[in-house]
Amino acid sequence: MSLLLRNSSVITRFENALIKDTARRFFASRSLGHDRDNKYDLVVVGGGIVGVASAREIMIRHPKLRVAILEKEKSLAVHQSGHNSGVIHAGIYYKPGSLKAKLCVEGLRRSYKYLEEKKIPYKKVGKLIVATNELEVKRLKDLEERGKANEVPGMQVIDGDQIQEIEPYCIGLKAIWSPETGIVDWAQVCRSYGKDFTNSGGDIHLNFEAQKFVETVGDADHPVTILGNDDQRVSTKYVLTCGGLQADLLAKLTGCSPTPKIVPFRGEYLLLNPEKAHMVKGNIYPVPDPRFPFLGVHFTPRMDGSIWLGPNAVFALRREGYKWTDINLKELFESVTYPGFLRLSARFILPGLQEAAKSLITPLQVADLRKYIPDIMDYDVMPGPSGVRAQALSPEGELVDDFVFDQGSGESPIAKQVLHCRNAPSPGATSSLAIARNIADRIDKDFRLE
C-alpha cells in the first residue's frame, strides 16, 4: 500500500510538472505571436536593432495596434546587431545635413538616456581620432569642422602631449577628443527593445524567414500575406522591412526595386593579449582617408574588458560569410556580376588586395596598429571575431553612405503597402532610437494605422 501511495505521489508530481510546463509553453508561444489568426496592422520583417527599435516605437505610440516582428533566426540581433564593435558613436565623421549626422547625434542622447533608465551597463570611455602625419593633421581639421556642424557634444582638438595624458601608450601629432563616445553591448540593448515591445503587446515570431509576399485572398483589411517555411503565414495591413544583409532581397520580394544592391563586406578583428589590455583605455581611431571607402583599423575596448583591434574590410563570399570558408555560390555570383561591384572593384582593386592580404597575414595588420601604439608586437595579438557589413551599392559603383528609407513604388499591388529600410550601416545601432522615431513619423504620415 505504501509503495502504491509513493508511486501515486510521484505520478501526481509528474502530472503537476507537466501541467506547469504545458502552461509555460503556451504562454511563451503567445508571447511569440503564435495565436489563432496571426493577423496584424503592421509586420516588421527583421529582428535586428533597427527593426526592433522601430517596432517598439510604433507600439508605444499606438498601443491598440496589432504589431509583429518576423525574424528568421532563433533569437534577435544575430547578425550585424550582434557582431558590431559595440561603440556608441558621437557623430563626428558624417556629412553635415545627412540623416547619419542628424540621427547619430540624436541617437547618442537617446541611447544614454535609455541605458540609464533600463540600467544596462555601459562605459563612456571616449574616443581619440589620431593624426600621425601632417597630411592627416590637415584632414583632422575637416573632421573638426564636421563635428562642429553636427553639434557633437564635448569635442575638442588636442596636441601630442595631451594625447598621452588620455592614452599613455598612443603617439600622434594631433587628435580629436570625443569624451561622449562610449561602449555597450548592442545585442543586449536590442533584446531590451524586444522586451519593451512584447510588454507593450507586440508579438515576435522567431525562426520565421519571410520567403514570399502575396495578396491576401478575401481579406481587404489585411491585404498582404507573408509566407515562411512549414506553413508559416501572417497577414497584415502594412509591412516595414529592416532586413540588413537581406534588405534588397526583401524589396525584390515585395515587387520593389532591387537597387541599391547589398554587397557584403567582412570586417575581421584581432584580440589584444589580456596582459597588454592596460595599454588601451578608450577608443583610438584613425583619420579616414577620403580616397578609400572604409575607415581603417582602430582600437576598441569591450564591455568584457577585452580589446578588439581592427577591422579590415574584405569582400565576403556570402551575405552571412563570417569566415573565408563561408561560401554561397549563388550569392557570390550575384555579387560579382553586379555592375556596381565591378565598377567599385576596378577603382579599388589594389586596396582590396591589400585588405585581403591583411586578413591572411596578421603582421600586416599589426603594422597599421603600431602607427598608433608602437609597443604592440605580432605576438601580442590573436585572431578575433568578425562581422559582415551590409553595404548598399549603386549600379554606378558608389557606396550608399547615408541611411535610406523608401516606400514601395513598384507595379505590384503589395508594394504600396511596404516601407523599406534599405541602408542602415554604422552608426545604425547608436542611431536606432532616432531612426525608429523617424520611421514611425513616416508611417504615421503615409499609412492609415488608426
Side-chain angles (χ1 to χ4, degrees):
M1 183 68 176
S2 61
L3 179 60
L4 182 60
L5 289 173
R6 284 199 299 273
N7 287 342
S8 176
S9 176
V10 169
I11 292 171
T12 300
R13 288 199 300 272
F14 175 79
E15 288 176 341
N16 288 338
L18 183 60
I19 291 169
K20 289 180 180 178
D21 184 66
T22 302
R24 177 185 64 78
R25 290 175 181 272
F26 172 76
F27 288 112
S29 71
R30 286 188 63 81
S31 72
L32 293 176
H34 301 304
D35 61 327
R36 288 176 296 177
D37 52 29
N38 285 347
K39 293 183 178 180
Y40 297 97
D41 299 295
L42 176 74
V43 168
V44 179
V45 181
I49 196 165
V50 171
V52 181
S54 300
R56 169 187 177 274
E57 176 71 17
I58 291 161
M59 281 301 301
I60 289 172
R61 294 189 186 192
H62 306 285
K64 294 182 180 180
L65 293 181
R66 296 209 62 214
V67 181
I69 296 171
L70 307 185
E71 168 52 47
K72 72 183 181 70
E73 304 292 352
K74 63 183 179 181
S75 62
L76 302 176
V78 169
H79 294 293
Q80 290 185 111
S81 302
H83 285 80
N84 58 55
S85 62
V87 176
I88 306 171
H89 294 282
I92 296 171
Y93 289 101
Y94 315 118
K95 182 179 178 180
S98 66
L99 277 175
K100 269 190 177 184
K102 176 184 175 183
L103 298 182
C104 182
V105 174
E106 178 187 342
L108 176 81
R109 294 192 296 267
R110 287 175 175 262
S111 293
Y112 280 132
K113 181 180 179 182
Y114 182 84
L115 298 177
E116 287 288 343
E117 289 175 352
K118 298 295 182 177
K119 296 182 170 52
I120 297 174
Y122 71 92
K123 297 176 183 177
K124 198 175 287 188
V125 295
K127 176 198 286 184
L128 284 174
I129 304 173
V130 180
T132 60
N133 57 52
E134 292 298 336
L135 177 58
E136 289 180 349
V137 169
K138 293 180 181 178
R139 291 173 179 162
L140 200 70
K141 182 66 177 176
D142 294 334
L143 277 185
E144 180 189 8
E145 294 303 317
R146 283 194 173 196
K148 288 179 179 178
N150 295 340
E151 299 182 357
V152 173
M155 184 195 71
Q156 57 182 302
V157 176
I158 61 176
D159 60 25
D161 292 338
Q162 291 172 300
I163 290 172
Q164 295 202 318
E165 291 175 7
I166 297 169
E167 293 284 356
Y169 292 88
C170 181
I171 61 171
L173 300 180
K174 283 185 176 295
I176 288 176
W177 168 237
S178 170
E180 291 297 305
T181 299
I183 56 173
V184 73
D185 180 347
W186 284 116
Q188 181 182 0
V189 176
C190 182
R191 290 190 292 269
S192 180
Y193 291 167
K195 185 177 180 181
D196 295 342
F197 173 68
T198 55
N199 286 345
S200 299
D203 293 337
I204 300 177
H205 297 258
L206 300 175
N207 299 305
F208 190 129
E209 181 174 1
Q211 295 188 337
K212 196 171 184 180
F213 295 75
V214 298
E215 289 184 76
T216 306
V217 177
D219 189 350
D221 292 331
H222 304 91
V224 183
T225 293
I226 306 172
L227 304 176
N229 292 318
D230 302 323
D231 296 324
Q232 294 170 310
R233 66 172 55 218
V234 296
S235 296
T236 181
K237 189 171 186 179
Y238 295 108
V239 179
L240 166 65
T241 71
C242 298
L245 287 158
Q246 316 295 330
D248 57 334
L249 300 182
L250 288 171
K252 188 175 180 180
L253 286 174
T254 61
C256 299
S257 171
T259 58
K261 183 175 178 58
I262 297 297
V263 176
F265 286 88
R266 183 172 63 255
E268 301 164 330
Y269 288 90
L270 300 172
L271 291 175
L272 185 61
N273 184 333
E275 294 182 0
K276 297 290 185 76
H278 65 278
M279 299 171 66
V280 180
K281 299 184 181 302
N283 295 284
I284 302 173
Y285 273 56
V287 178
D289 188 334
R291 297 174 299 168
F292 303 128
F294 296 121
L295 181 60
V297 298
H298 40 273
F299 301 74
T300 306
R302 299 282 293 180
M303 290 299 297
D304 62 3
S306 63
I307 306 295
W308 288 14
L309 311 171
N312 55 17
V314 296
F315 173 57
L317 305 181
R318 62 174 295 176
R319 288 178 185 252
E320 295 163 6
Y322 294 100
K323 52 186 184 293
W324 282 106
T325 53
D326 289 340
I327 303 172
N328 183 302
L329 293 179
K330 180 177 181 292
E331 293 177 359
L332 177 59
F333 180 78
E334 289 173 349
S335 290
V336 299
T337 57
Y338 177 56
F341 178 78
L342 295 173
R343 293 184 174 103
L344 179 75
S345 300
R347 293 204 310 274
F348 296 108
I349 186 168
L350 181 57
L353 292 173
Q354 290 173 336
E355 289 297 296
K358 291 175 188 177
S359 170
L360 301 170
I361 306 171
T362 299
L364 295 178
Q365 193 160 335
V366 174
D368 285 345
L369 296 165
R370 295 187 69 217
K371 295 176 184 177
Y372 307 94
I373 300 184
D375 293 340
I376 291 179
M377 304 298 170
D378 294 347
Y379 52 76
D380 291 325
V381 304
M382 64 191 77
S386 64
V388 180
R389 177 190 180 104
Q391 179 59 60
L393 188 61
S394 75
E396 294 72 34
E398 299 297 329
L399 299 181
V400 180
D401 187 53
D402 208 358
F403 299 143
V404 177
F405 315 105
D406 67 40
Q407 191 169 347
S409 57
E411 294 182 1
S412 165
I414 293 172
K416 63 180 180 296
Q417 307 297 118
V418 185
L419 175 64
H420 295 289
C421 177
R422 299 297 298 258
N423 190 50
S426 180
T430 302
S431 309
S432 56
L433 291 175
I435 292 174
R437 180 193 57 77
N438 184 281
I439 287 175
D441 285 348
R442 182 156 182 172
I443 285 175
D444 285 346
K445 177 177 178 292
D446 295 340
F447 292 166
R448 299 185 301 276
L449 283 174
E450 295 293 358

